[in-house]
Amino acid sequence: MAKIRVARAPKGVRCDLRDMWSRLFLSLALSVPVAGMAQHTDTLRFRSQAMDADRLVVVHLPEFHRYASEEVRMPVIVVLDGQHEWFVGPVVNDIRYLTFTKELPQCITVEVPHADRISECRIPEGEGPEPALLRMLVEELPGLLEPYHPGSFQLLIGHSFTASFALYAFAKYPERFPVVLAHTPGNGSDGHLARVKQHVQEDPDRAVYLSVGGPELKKDKWHHGWNTEALRKEGLPGDLPNFVFREVPHAAHNAVPIRATPEFLSHCFNAFSLRDSLVPVNMYYQLDDPPPPAEELLRQVEEDLAWRGTSIPWELAEINGMASRLMTGDHPEQLLAVFQRGVELYPGYWEFHAAVGELLLESDPAMGRASLRRSLALLEEYDRDQPDYAEIKAELEELLGE
């Protein structure tokens, strides 16, 4: 995890707050991305009533999920074809590494393996009965994920046969799956493209990403031909910015998702990657202007979280980033408000409690000491195994005078 170090002051000497937290945040800036790659994985086995069979899904949680309150509801990315490691492995790694580079937010990633992908993902003609797999995703998956307090946004990714299924799912339930990545869909999905186009036209927050490989015989000839012709007949993508079509040159059928997924995910979450622009600093890392009062600053933060008709939670790294910028000036009111909001959102993160405690030690010693004690307890609970645990513990105890 990110190692935020409480700076040690000589005995009997109070460490200057700005100096202490400047060093603290330098450590954070260097270590948060690597920590963000760490994941906890659960395999959930259940009896699917929709499919009348025993099934499983694999849930990957990002590193900072374990610190988060239920108020932090992260986006969900559902990856079909979970039985194909060659497909799901690169996609899950794309998500991890794009989170590492802050192109993507912290997401809950769900792998859905299939016992028989062809029968499970077969698309009915017209208004025929929905596939049992779709009913499982719509009716049962939300309940399975509720203990992880997921967000309302779900992105669905499929390849070939499951890409056709993803387009069909979007056509049927655009509110449930507002964004889909359909890598080189198979023949047959064209029957639902008219409805896909209508849904994309109706709501700019929805999006469809469709890719095909090279037109050569040994690349993606048949799928290239089916899809380009079907899109031509529907007039897609036309002038719709939220229908993104990519021909991936020189890519074979099974290579298309490996090459196209990173671009599509970065495009989808681009607005997220550009946010965190409040309290800007210049090239010398000095504030451009004084920040607004604390209450107004937090209001602006909440406003900044809006995304595709929902919101992406204020991330732990963003909270620390804003705090580090505020520390370049004398803004204790705003700094305290930011850290207190961090405690509300990530109550399991000992560093936020330590920051609040340090800021309150002089003005409210009882509350400050309570926050520091809480920080010590969380360090013991979550991070006892980190190499410098003993040193951090001693530094916190020194702040408490113990």
Side-chain angles (χ1 to χ4, degrees):
M1 63 155 282
K3 297 176 184 176
I4 300 186
R5 299 296 307 280
V6 179
R8 183 187 298 276
K11 286 188 177 180
V13 177
R14 292 281 299 168
C15 179
D16 179 75
L17 180 65
R18 192 176 308 165
D19 177 65
M20 181 186 80
W21 288 103
S22 294
R23 282 179 280 167
L24 180 153
F25 278 102
L26 175 60
S27 174
L28 174 78
L30 292 174
S31 59
V32 158
V34 177
M37 291 170 58
Q39 291 183 322
H40 173 80
T41 299
D42 287 336
T43 299
L44 307 182
R45 303 178 187 276
F46 62 102
R47 180 70 182 180
S48 170
Q49 299 302 314
M51 304 191 74
D52 192 24
D54 294 329
R55 300 303 298 252
L56 66 83
V57 295
V58 180
V59 180
H60 301 284
L61 302 175
E63 167 68 10
F64 297 128
H65 186 277
R66 63 176 177 158
Y67 302 122
S69 70
E70 292 192 8
E71 185 180 351
V72 176
R73 295 192 166 261
M74 298 175 177
V76 177
I77 299 179
V78 179
V79 187
L80 302 172
D81 267 328
Q83 78 285 355
H84 287 327
E85 196 281 333
W86 67 264
F87 169 67
V88 76
V91 170
V92 170
N93 275 327
D94 284 338
I95 295 167
R96 293 175 63 220
Y97 284 97
L98 289 172
T99 302
F100 167 87
T101 56
K102 297 184 173 58
E103 292 288 290
L104 265 61
Q106 299 268 303
C107 294
I108 298 170
T109 304
V110 182
E111 298 177 24
V112 180
H114 308 289
D116 183 343
R117 69 194 295 262
I118 295 178
S119 63
E120 291 175 12
C121 299
R122 183 173 288 113
I123 299 173
E125 295 184 7
E127 296 300 322
E130 291 181 3
L133 175 64
L134 184 56
R135 298 202 309 275
M136 186 270 279
L137 293 175
V138 171
E139 299 168 9
E140 298 175 344
L141 183 60
L144 292 171
L145 296 182
E146 189 52 38
Y148 305 109
H149 44 92
S152 61
F153 175 84
Q154 286 196 21
L155 184 153
L156 188 61
I157 304 178
H159 169 253
S160 193
F161 218 80
T162 60
S164 300
F165 177 88
L167 289 173
Y168 171 75
F170 177 85
K172 293 288 289 186
Y173 296 101
E175 296 83 9
R176 179 58 58 89
F177 307 107
V179 176
V180 297
L181 273 60
H183 295 300
T184 188
N187 191 14
S189 58
D190 53 328
H192 300 278
L193 276 179
R195 195 182 306 180
V196 168
K197 180 179 180 180
Q198 177 186 344
H199 292 329
V200 171
Q201 288 173 324
E202 290 172 347
D203 189 343
D205 288 328
R206 298 171 184 162
V208 170
Y209 295 86
L210 195 153
S211 63
V212 295
E216 299 86 0
L217 178 61
K218 292 189 175 182
K219 296 298 181 177
D220 197 28
K221 177 179 179 178
W222 306 117
H223 291 258
H224 183 283
W226 295 330
N227 285 288
T228 53
E229 177 62 15
L231 293 177
R232 185 193 65 79
K233 288 182 178 178
E234 284 297 335
L236 289 168
D239 60 353
L240 292 171
N242 48 339
F243 192 107
V244 180
F245 174 60
R246 291 287 185 270
E247 296 183 65
V248 185
H250 318 301
H253 181 67
N254 287 350
V256 172
I258 298 172
R259 293 181 55 185
T261 297
E263 178 191 352
F264 283 172
L265 289 175
S266 293
H267 186 283
C268 175
F269 289 97
N270 186 54
F272 162 80
S273 69
L274 294 175
R275 78 181 195 188
D276 192 25
S277 59
L278 299 174
V279 195
V281 293
N282 59 27
M283 63 181 296
Y284 303 106
Y285 211 71
Q286 299 295 317
L287 291 178
D288 288 339
D289 297 293
E295 184 177 350
E296 172 60 17
L297 179 60
L298 292 184
R299 188 200 65 78
Q300 291 179 10
V301 167
E302 290 300 314
E303 190 176 87
D304 200 40
L305 303 181
W307 182 81
R308 291 189 180 274
T310 178
S311 64
I312 294 177
W314 202 13
E315 299 221 323
L316 189 149
E318 292 176 313
I319 295 170
N320 275 306
M322 178 176 288
S324 71
R325 297 192 294 273
L326 286 168
M327 284 188 297
T328 64
D330 185 20
H331 306 290
E333 175 199 5
Q334 291 88 342
L335 188 60
L336 179 60
V338 167
F339 277 129
Q340 287 176 328
R341 183 60 177 147
V343 166
E344 292 173 354
L345 294 174
Y346 300 93
Y349 200 55
W350 68 264
E351 292 91 337
F352 287 163
H353 292 272
V356 170
E358 173 70 12
L359 285 163
L360 289 176
L361 270 180
E362 292 186 2
S363 63
D364 189 343
M367 185 64 70
R369 292 172 66 82
S371 294
L372 289 171
R373 288 198 181 94
R374 181 59 181 155
S375 178
L376 272 171
L378 291 169
L379 178 67
E380 178 80 15
E381 179 179 356
Y382 287 107
D383 297 300
R384 187 179 176 85
D385 59 346
Q386 62 175 306
D388 47 1
Y389 160 80
E391 185 178 355
I392 296 171
K393 181 174 182 285
E395 290 170 350
L396 288 168
E397 289 173 342
E398 187 171 338
L399 285 171
L400 281 164
E402 299 177 352

